[in-house]
Amino acid sequence: MNKLKKMSFKDIMINYGVIIIMVILIVYTGLTSKNFLTPNNLTNILASMSSRLVIALGIAGCIITGGCDLSAGRMIGFGACIAGTLLQKMDYSNKFYPGMEPMNIFLALLIVMLICAAFGCVTGFFIAYLSVPPFISTMAMMEIVYGINSIYTNASPLGGYVSEYTNLATNKLLGMSYLIWIAILIAVLTWFIFNMTRHGKYMYAIGGNAQAAEVAGVPVKKTLVIIYAKAAAMYGLAGFMMGAKAGGASVGLGLGYEMEAIAACTIGGVSVSGGRGKVSSAIIGVAVFEFLKTALQFLGVNAFAQYIALGVIIFIAISLDIRKYVARK
């Protein structure tokens, strides 16, 4: 509170303006739309948030190091499609592997995360060892993954999943979907990694000043590879979760989700200039973003106009973050 008292109105708006405006919109929607703040709608928002939070937590590590990951969206679709091909019912007419029994869902999830992590390792290798900028490396991987996924699935939609898989979205524990509990577990694990491990300290050091970190003995290259591999594994998990919720998947699943995740992280306080960010930052950003999207739907805003609103928010959030960085310089 003392910190807020010392800040001028201008500083408050630069640091929290986007969040304040969104909260006002959410409150207005809650007052004017009787079904917006109902338990059922709030539960649906949390379920939708679950996979988005996993994506944001994965991409947050990349952003904290001063990088980014544009391959996240396509990696999500890839993970969802891999899971879909492994978890179809035996009697489904368009079964991808006609003679193969549906795999155990935990084994399928492990395969999805390992495959995605392998692609993340490649991205991290180019960034760390060949000094290819993260923007270029991840954009290239975005195209590669999309191409591989399209060839693998023949760009055909997948469906007919076993109930054990779709039950992740429909079944509940203590009144909340399993997907929400998965997101909570990932948030706790990510918090532990960020705050209680040497890897987390290395990550923040690289984001602060990679050259100084290397001089201080931080294994910068190895850490970057691990960060991008870990992020990709989390995108695979998010795709797995989305496939369960939708009951199907396609190569287009996840398109553009990386920009929403970056914007959510930035809104919450993860700096695109590197070195700063918390798990709580991603949680706040994703929550505000998901409530905003739902509020726009309840207010009857044109579906295409919603993309314009979200784009403006991304532009403003990142611009304000860069402004804060310049001010500190």
Side-chain angles (χ1 to χ4, degrees):
M1 288 297 294
N2 290 332
K3 183 180 178 183
L4 283 175
K5 288 179 181 179
K6 293 178 181 178
M7 294 174 68
S8 66
F9 176 77
K10 179 181 177 182
D11 292 332
I12 291 174
M13 291 307 297
I14 289 176
N15 285 279
Y16 307 107
V18 176
I19 294 178
I20 292 171
I21 292 170
M22 290 185 186
V23 169
I24 291 172
L25 176 62
I26 290 167
V27 171
Y28 172 77
T29 307
L31 294 174
T32 57
S33 303
K34 63 179 181 179
N35 295 323
F36 181 66
L37 294 178
T38 60
N40 185 54
N41 189 50
L42 292 176
T43 301
N44 289 336
I45 292 174
L46 286 176
S48 180
M49 274 180 58
S50 59
S51 55
R52 303 301 183 110
L53 178 58
V54 172
I55 300 166
L57 291 172
I59 215 164
C62 305
I63 297 172
I64 289 171
T65 61
C68 66
D69 195 342
L70 301 182
S71 69
R74 293 305 190 186
M75 204 77 76
I76 292 162
F78 190 33
C81 286
I82 294 171
T85 60
L86 301 177
L87 295 169
Q88 290 179 312
K89 299 174 184 176
M90 284 297 291
D91 59 353
Y92 184 61
S93 58
N94 292 321
K95 188 171 172 60
F96 193 83
Y97 294 117
M100 189 184 79
E101 291 278 348
M103 194 171 287
N104 176 279
I105 61 170
F106 297 105
L107 179 58
L109 173 59
L110 179 62
I111 290 172
V112 167
M113 294 182 71
L114 286 176
I115 291 175
C116 289
F119 282 91
C121 277
V122 175
T123 302
F125 174 82
F126 276 88
I127 292 169
Y129 289 93
L130 300 181
S131 300
V132 179
F135 175 82
I136 301 299
S137 297
T138 58
M139 183 171 62
M141 186 55 71
M142 172 182 72
E143 299 296 342
I144 291 170
V145 167
Y146 178 65
I148 292 174
N149 195 19
S150 298
I151 293 171
Y152 175 62
T153 63
N154 198 28
S156 300
L158 300 165
Y161 297 159
V162 293
S163 59
E164 291 83 358
Y165 182 33
T166 55
N167 283 348
L168 289 175
T170 57
N171 287 359
K172 296 182 178 181
L173 175 65
L174 300 178
M176 294 195 300
S177 165
Y178 288 163
L179 297 181
I180 298 173
W181 288 109
I182 292 172
I184 292 172
L185 175 61
I186 295 300
V188 172
L189 289 174
T190 304
W191 178 89
F192 181 81
I193 292 171
F194 280 16
N195 296 279
M196 307 298 290
T197 67
R198 187 174 296 177
H199 173 78
K201 292 180 175 63
Y202 290 166
M203 179 184 68
Y204 286 105
I206 293 170
N209 190 316
Q211 289 76 23
E214 192 161 21
V215 171
V218 173
V220 173
K221 293 180 173 61
K222 178 182 175 182
T223 302
L224 284 173
V225 172
I226 293 173
I227 286 170
Y228 280 88
K230 174 167 59 69
M234 292 171 75
Y235 307 149
L237 170 58
F240 186 89
M241 295 166 67
M242 289 181 180
K245 188 172 186 294
S250 69
V251 294
L253 180 66
L255 177 62
Y257 285 13
E258 67 281 349
M259 296 310 299
E260 286 189 21
I262 292 171
C265 287
T266 306
I267 290 169
V270 180
S271 177
V272 293
S273 58
R276 293 187 300 113
K278 304 175 183 177
V279 169
S280 59
S281 303
I283 294 173
I284 292 170
V286 171
V288 170
F289 225 74
E290 288 302 311
F291 273 95
L292 171 68
K293 288 191 291 185
T294 307
L296 292 175
Q297 292 170 8
F298 270 80
L299 291 173
V301 176
N302 182 283
F304 298 111
Q306 291 177 30
Y307 286 103
I308 298 174
L310 297 176
V312 170
I313 291 166
I314 293 171
F315 180 79
I316 293 173
I318 294 179
S319 297
L320 289 176
D321 182 76
I322 293 173
R323 180 184 174 87
K324 285 184 283 185
Y325 172 73
V326 172
R328 291 199 308 271
K329 296 283 283 186

